[in-house]
Amino acid sequence: MRRLFRISYALFRATVFATIAYRGSFIAGAISNILWISLSLVSISVITYQSSTVGGWTRLELFLVQGVYSIVLGTMYFLFVANFRNFSRLIRFGDLDLVLVKPYDSQYLVSIGKFSLHTLARIVSGILLVVYVIHALGLAPSALTVVLFCLFLLSGMVIVYSIWFGVTTTLIWLTDLFNLDELFVQITGTTRYPLEVLRHISHVLLYVTLPLVVITTVPAQTLLNKLDISLALWSIALATVFFLVSRRFWFFALRSYTSASS
Amino acid sequence: MKAYLQIIKGTIEEYATYRLSFILWRVRLVVQLLVVYFMWLAIFSEQQNLFGYSQGAMLTYILFSSFVRPFVMGTRTQEVAEFIRSGTLSNYLVRPMRFLGFCASRDIADKLLNGVFAVFEIIVLYLLLRPPLMIQTDVVMILLSFLALVMGMILFFYFSLLISYFGFWTPDVWAPRFLSFVFAEFFTGALFPLDILPAPLYLLSRSLPFFYFIYFPLKVYLGQLSPIAILQGFLVGLVWTVGL
């Protein structure tokens, strides 16, 4: 574990130095992230201006879901997305060889390496939004609620990571595919809305999107003291199963990697 | 002219080579549409009329916005920034054709392909979802909305090209492009009609070029604008086109 932190710290430092070289991009990226969350809040305000609830969720509760979404997706972008986007390049140019010969876990090395520092603005905005909603709704979450909230937040992140990593792994076979991550970004966009909002979707589609929707709905329900135990258990179970499957799938896919450089 | 037709053909062939990527791109757009569609369906399940829109008018707006979007905002001009950054721009400038014509031909190919897929998707979605669509029967309104669509396409072409030209000053064009993307997502009216915004935000949206990308052609199609508002819209849109 110490080694993992040491490597992560070294990679983080390298990203910080690279960011310092392009300060303008960092500032513009951070502003864009804050603007994005602000405009999302305006959209929710507009939608709930005449219709007080959407799918039984009030404006402030929808803000909470938006806050959770920003924390989960912001963390994904901060830690992994730049590396997933680079994965197709690693395959096409045969650079994955360099990763595989390094004396450390290959899944870790392809997942972490380049941090997107500007997305920290999205995470911080999400946290501030959650704190604001707790205050505005007069909620007084107990220590246990906070712990459960963090646990479900973490399980949501594990679900997103596992699916995204699993989808990225398919690039080992589908080398011509370069926009897989864009599709995933769009699909994760469904998690901006609580499960009840999408209840008009046919059952088949609902079960397809269920793993994604629990990512934000369950942590938000925890804070609002409306926790649906079956959904919460689903969230933990899906996180465990998806992570194990994504790891197995990675090692299975590596057997098909033929390298482009040798 | 023949050269430009060859560019269009070549671009379509390029898409055909990476067809799985293109199909995934279309799937992405359908998912985006479905999420917005079901969200509005949930809102209208509790009330029949909201923001001055009936359920039919709102769902027509949402479904057709996904059709108008690829026509207006489907573009290849973002690659111009990469040409500038990598220095390959010179290769295009020495060719015996106008660079703007080259970019426009690439865009036409993109819009043609995306448009064909969008029509097909809307038919499938209509058959699956059976939404209460509002079909415009007034030929004049259909013609005017087509003209507004063409104006939106030209406006967006110059707008996107302008952002790519930032490449002459900075190697990192993604920042202004992402910033404009965030604004465009909100102010084009792709997620909801702009006239449901609070008055100050609506006035702000009217003063931006994004107003003419999706919202204006669709409002003309729905027949919800007065003749003076349509004329005013075309005049301001033309001023933006010339300005950009």
Side-chain angles (χ1 to χ4, degrees):
Chain A
M1 196 54 118
R2 269 186 70 185
R3 197 171 171 211
L4 182 127
F5 281 116
R6 222 177 49 237
I7 294 171
S8 302
Y9 179 65
L11 292 169
F12 182 73
R13 267 173 58 109
T15 307
V16 170
F17 289 133
T19 307
I20 289 169
Y22 295 101
R23 289 180 294 277
S25 281
F26 169 75
I27 293 165
I31 292 171
S32 300
N33 274 286
I34 294 168
L35 197 66
W36 177 83
I37 196 168
S38 308
L39 292 177
S40 301
L41 296 184
V42 174
S43 298
I44 293 171
S45 302
V46 168
I47 289 164
T48 51
Y49 181 60
Q50 285 186 22
S51 168
S52 56
T53 60
V54 180
W57 289 68
T58 64
R59 177 185 296 179
L60 281 173
E61 289 171 349
L62 288 170
F63 278 2
L64 182 64
V65 175
Q66 182 66 50
V68 173
Y69 173 74
S70 301
I71 297 171
V72 174
L73 260 289
T75 308
M76 286 299 114
Y77 273 90
F78 173 60
L79 293 174
F80 308 116
V81 176
N83 306 294
F84 290 164
R85 285 186 173 157
N86 191 42
F87 189 68
S88 127
R89 196 184 149 79
L90 286 182
I91 303 284
R92 274 185 287 135
F93 291 89
D95 292 344
L96 187 60
D97 301 12
L98 300 173
V99 174
L100 296 176
V101 294
K102 283 180 183 155
Y104 202 67
D105 187 274
S106 56
Q107 179 172 355
Y108 171 82
L109 289 174
V110 294
S111 302
I112 301 242
K114 201 175 168 190
F115 297 85
S116 300
L117 292 185
H118 63 272
T119 52
L120 282 173
R122 190 184 291 194
I123 301 172
V124 173
S125 307
I127 294 169
L128 290 176
L129 186 58
V130 169
V131 172
Y132 164 73
V133 175
I134 290 173
H135 180 72
L137 287 174
L139 299 170
S142 64
L144 177 67
T145 307
V146 174
V147 170
L148 281 176
F149 173 73
C150 293
L151 176 73
F152 293 130
L153 210 56
L154 186 67
S155 73
M157 287 175 193
V158 173
I159 292 172
V160 180
Y161 166 79
S162 305
I163 299 175
W164 207 326
F165 182 73
V167 169
T168 306
T169 303
T170 60
L171 290 173
I172 286 182
W173 295 284
L174 309 167
T175 45
D176 284 345
L177 219 54
F178 45 80
N179 61 349
L180 206 54
D181 64 295
E182 286 181 11
L183 173 68
F184 197 75
V185 169
Q186 199 55 58
I187 291 173
T188 49
T190 54
T191 61
R192 272 189 293 174
Y193 307 101
L195 189 62
E196 290 81 356
V197 172
L198 303 173
R199 68 177 185 274
H200 292 272
I201 296 181
S202 74
H203 286 299
V204 177
L205 271 177
L206 191 61
Y207 284 116
V208 170
T209 53
L210 182 71
L212 293 167
V213 180
V214 296
I215 293 160
T216 50
T217 302
V218 174
Q221 282 179 340
T222 311
L223 281 183
L224 295 168
N225 294 319
K226 291 178 181 174
L227 187 61
D228 180 336
I229 299 294
S230 61
L231 263 187
L233 291 175
W234 260 110
S235 172
I236 302 287
L238 286 172
T240 313
V241 171
F242 278 21
F243 182 73
L244 292 175
V245 169
S246 78
R247 196 157 171 76
R248 284 212 153 215
F249 185 56
W250 167 246
F251 290 114
F252 170 74
L254 279 184
R255 280 190 245 157
S256 304
Y257 176 62
T258 49
S259 174
S261 61
S262 57
Chain B
M1 193 63 193
K2 208 177 163 188
Y4 296 117
L5 284 175
Q6 277 302 319
I7 299 287
I8 294 174
K9 201 178 152 205
T11 308
I12 291 174
E13 279 168 359
E14 202 179 294
Y15 276 115
T17 310
Y18 297 101
R19 51 193 171 276
L20 197 54
S21 286
F22 180 76
I23 290 167
L24 278 184
W25 165 251
R26 291 308 313 172
V27 172
R28 177 196 167 167
L29 294 180
V30 171
V31 171
Q32 186 178 34
L33 165 68
L34 285 177
V35 170
V36 179
Y37 177 85
F38 284 114
M39 186 195 70
W40 279 107
L41 205 60
I43 294 170
F44 273 96
S45 68
E46 285 156 23
Q47 289 172 60
Q48 279 309 306
N49 273 288
L50 273 174
F51 314 104
Y53 283 83
S54 65
Q55 191 194 43
M58 184 61 86
L59 294 180
T60 304
Y61 181 93
I62 297 299
L63 267 181
F64 282 13
S65 74
S66 77
F67 173 71
V68 169
R69 195 187 174 121
F71 269 115
V72 175
M73 296 170 76
T75 186
R76 298 289 302 244
T77 44
Q78 68 271 18
E79 65 193 3
V80 173
E82 181 54 28
F83 294 161
I84 297 167
R85 196 192 65 78
S86 62
T88 48
L89 181 69
S90 319
N91 297 346
Y92 297 97
L93 293 178
V94 294
R95 288 183 187 180
M97 64 169 71
R98 291 183 64 215
F99 182 66
L100 270 184
F102 167 79
C103 294
S105 305
R106 299 270 285 169
D107 264 28
I108 288 168
D110 187 287
K111 287 174 202 302
L112 275 176
L113 213 56
N114 276 294
V116 169
F117 272 77
V119 171
F120 173 72
E121 287 153 14
I122 286 202
I123 292 170
V124 171
L125 287 177
Y126 177 76
L127 292 174
L128 286 174
L129 305 170
R130 297 275 176 193
L133 281 189
M134 208 209 94
I135 305 295
Q136 180 60 264
T137 48
D138 188 339
V139 182
V140 178
M141 283 301 166
I142 293 172
L143 272 175
L144 284 174
S145 53
F146 177 74
L147 280 178
L149 183 71
V150 173
M151 186 177 78
M153 276 159 43
I154 297 170
L155 198 54
F156 184 78
F157 172 73
Y158 283 114
F159 176 76
S160 181
L161 210 54
L162 197 67
I163 291 174
S164 289
Y165 289 162
F166 276 98
F168 284 114
W169 294 279
T170 169
D172 266 340
V173 181
W174 78 266
R177 190 166 282 284
F178 185 60
L179 206 62
S180 74
F181 169 77
V182 172
F183 264 111
E185 272 298 297
F186 188 81
F187 285 114
T188 51
L191 301 175
F192 47 74
L194 295 173
D195 53 358
I196 71 170
L197 285 171
L201 271 178
Y202 177 63
L203 281 176
L204 172 68
S205 74
R206 283 190 66 163
S207 60
L208 298 170
F210 310 121
F211 185 86
Y212 303 92
F213 293 168
I214 293 176
Y215 174 76
F216 183 62
L218 282 176
K219 283 295 273 188
V220 175
Y221 174 82
L222 289 172
Q224 290 180 344
L225 293 179
S226 66
I228 293 174
I230 294 174
L231 185 69
Q232 202 180 19
F234 273 111
L235 284 175
V236 179
L238 280 175
V239 170
W240 268 115
T241 312
V242 173
L244 287 174

